[in-house]
Amino acid sequence: MRCHQVVDSTQDVAREAVRRGAEGPVLVVTQRQSSGRGRRGRRWVHAPGGLAFTLAVQVPLDAPAAWPTMAAALGSARAVEAHTGIALGIKWPNDLVHGGRKVGGVLAEAHGPWSLVGVGLNVNSSPGVADDTPTACLAEIGGAALDLSALLIELTAAIVGALLADATTRRALQQPWNELSVVLGEWVFVSGPDGHVYGRVDTLPADGSLHLALDDGTRRVITTGDVSLRLDRTG
């Protein structure tokens, strides 16, 4: 475990730790990130009173490439509910949301046999609107400030447990992953490398992809992209 007051990015500190030969899971946590990042090069705004940490773990070799992201999102949501009673949803592929507002996010990066899994969580404050996305914090939702250390302990235990799950356990976790999804069964816009597509999410398979049913009767498999919930195809 490595604790810092300020770092550029917990992902970078964790990468350097494993490069130098760290053994076993590594936890890097900071009070403030000056250059935190999210998916696709976006900046992660770390509000004071929030949690920002990275877990470096060697996941089972037979785990799908998307499993670190899925495991961290699922583990985070389950830990938050166990600790606070607040039920968060998962917005594919990596956002933790409540009432349409973003509460946290996950960034998973590969480094050799290691998975560097970064988690940002708005606990006692939130940045308001970040990247045109409204945000919320757990304290606002639950009506009381939270002890960051106690929550961190529960989060890391749940996430590491999910990351290290064997094939049988991963199959069992597929159901709660689907149950926590806020996009399954919904009509969505997906923006990705191949442009925009509009369809209804009908399947979230164990490989971490998103399957869309289009209104022309065809299907589309999405492996990467940003999802926006829409009631219609305008906007």
Side-chain angles (χ1 to χ4, degrees):
M1 182 173 180
R2 291 158 170 79
C3 300
H4 301 268
Q5 288 189 330
V6 181
V7 297
D8 290 342
S9 166
T10 57
Q11 294 287 97
D12 295 340
V13 176
R15 180 179 291 103
E16 181 63 15
V18 299
R19 190 188 70 81
R20 290 177 175 271
E23 297 181 2
V26 175
L27 170 64
V28 178
V29 61
T30 186
Q31 292 184 18
R32 186 168 68 87
Q33 284 190 119
S34 59
S35 300
R37 61 182 182 273
R39 290 175 61 248
R40 305 176 75 177
R42 294 188 180 91
R43 180 170 177 258
W44 174 263
V45 180
H46 180 191
L51 280 174
F53 61 94
T54 293
L55 283 160
V57 178
Q58 296 190 53
V59 301
L61 295 176
D62 63 345
W67 181 245
T69 298
M70 296 171 68
L74 179 59
S76 294
R78 299 177 97 184
V80 166
E81 184 166 18
H83 191 77
T84 68
I86 297 170
L88 298 180
I90 298 174
K91 180 170 170 282
W92 186 93
N94 69 323
D95 285 346
L96 300 167
V97 298
H98 186 275
R101 295 186 292 171
K102 185 172 179 176
V103 179
V106 173
L107 175 66
E109 299 175 322
H111 183 75
W114 294 84
S115 291
L116 310 179
V117 182
V119 177
L121 192 64
N122 300 328
V123 182
N124 292 322
S125 66
S126 70
V129 177
D131 288 328
D132 298 322
T133 301
T135 66
C137 69
L138 297 176
E140 174 191 359
I141 297 166
L146 299 171
D147 183 303
L148 294 179
S149 297
L151 179 57
L152 178 64
I153 291 170
E154 194 136 10
L155 283 164
T156 53
I159 295 170
V160 170
L163 287 169
L164 297 179
D166 60 20
T168 300
T169 305
R170 290 197 301 271
R171 284 192 294 271
L173 290 174
Q174 186 65 32
Q175 181 175 344
W177 163 259
N178 286 342
E179 290 173 348
L180 291 176
S181 173
V182 299
V183 302
L184 187 60
E186 301 293 334
W187 287 87
V188 300
F189 273 112
V190 182
S191 303
D194 299 325
H196 306 278
V197 62
Y198 178 77
R200 183 178 59 82
V201 180
D202 68 355
T203 313
L204 292 172
D207 64 3
S209 62
L210 178 147
H211 289 204
L212 288 180
L214 309 189
D215 57 7
D216 63 3
T218 62
R219 292 172 59 85
R220 185 77 63 86
V221 176
I222 308 294
T223 58
T224 183
D226 294 320
V227 171
S228 296
L229 291 160
R230 291 284 191 261
L231 296 179
D232 56 44
R233 68 183 65 219
T234 61

